[in-house]
Amino acid sequence: MAVIPFTAAGQKLLARLMRAEAEGDGKLGMLMVGNTGVNRVRADCLDFKDIRNLREMVFQSPGGFEATQKSYFYQRARAKDLDLALKVLRGRREHPATNSLWFFRPAGSCPAQWFGQWNTGRYKSHCFFAPTQSECPNIF
């Protein structure tokens, strides 16, 4: 059972986003980016009050993903990318991205906070940040 409604086109978008944002961090890193994306659709809070589906999440502006501005994002999703996206859509969650709504790739250490949100941890090149449960109960 899916944690958010999705279409085949939405699954492809998520797969392409996961690959473009985190392929260098391997499968687990890609799953964490997927967690963050699915959380944004589920959240209905903070910067994500008007996000209702994967397309709106991927192309949110402002506040969307840098990868959508790069040609690599527009390559066709591979079977292994689609499989990873489906795992996330079916509810697989990986720490530190379990409840994350943001991530970024710092030049050095992860800051304790980023735009007022607490760091939940780092995986390879990305730091993940999550709101409190009282701010965004839908993702907990």
Side-chain angles (χ1 to χ4, degrees):
M1 174 163 243
V3 294
I4 59 170
F6 70 94
T7 62
Q11 180 186 358
K12 288 176 186 175
L13 272 176
L14 182 61
R16 290 173 27 214
L17 179 71
M18 292 164 61
R19 178 182 180 188
E21 288 283 354
E23 184 176 34
D25 287 351
K27 290 178 182 179
L28 193 54
M30 291 171 63
L31 287 167
M32 290 179 194
V33 165
N35 287 157
T36 302
V38 167
N39 287 343
R40 287 180 177 194
V41 176
R42 295 175 64 211
D44 197 25
C45 64
L46 302 172
D47 297 334
F48 311 104
K49 288 182 180 171
D50 296 320
I51 303 299
R52 299 291 179 254
N53 60 55
L54 291 166
R55 175 167 282 289
E56 290 173 355
M57 178 273 296
V58 169
F59 294 108
Q60 181 185 8
S61 182
F65 295 94
E66 184 180 335
T68 62
Q69 300 168 16
K70 312 279 184 190
S71 61
Y72 192 59
F73 170 78
Y74 293 93
Q75 293 180 7
R76 194 178 81 202
R78 302 172 298 191
K80 61 184 178 180
D81 304 327
L82 291 167
D83 180 57
L84 289 174
L86 186 58
K87 287 178 181 182
V88 171
L89 291 165
R90 288 184 174 161
R92 182 163 170 183
R93 298 173 101 181
E94 298 290 343
H95 179 77
T98 307
N99 302 314
S100 70
L101 289 175
W102 301 272
F103 64 86
F104 83 104
R105 183 180 185 154
S109 300
C110 297
Q113 284 190 324
W114 192 50
F115 293 103
Q117 304 305 308
W118 290 101
N119 177 290
T120 56
R122 181 181 198 132
Y123 182 75
K124 294 191 178 182
S125 66
H126 290 98
C127 301
F128 293 86
F129 298 84
T132 63
Q133 187 170 4
S134 62
E135 290 175 301
C136 295
N138 290 347
I139 61 170
F140 286 85

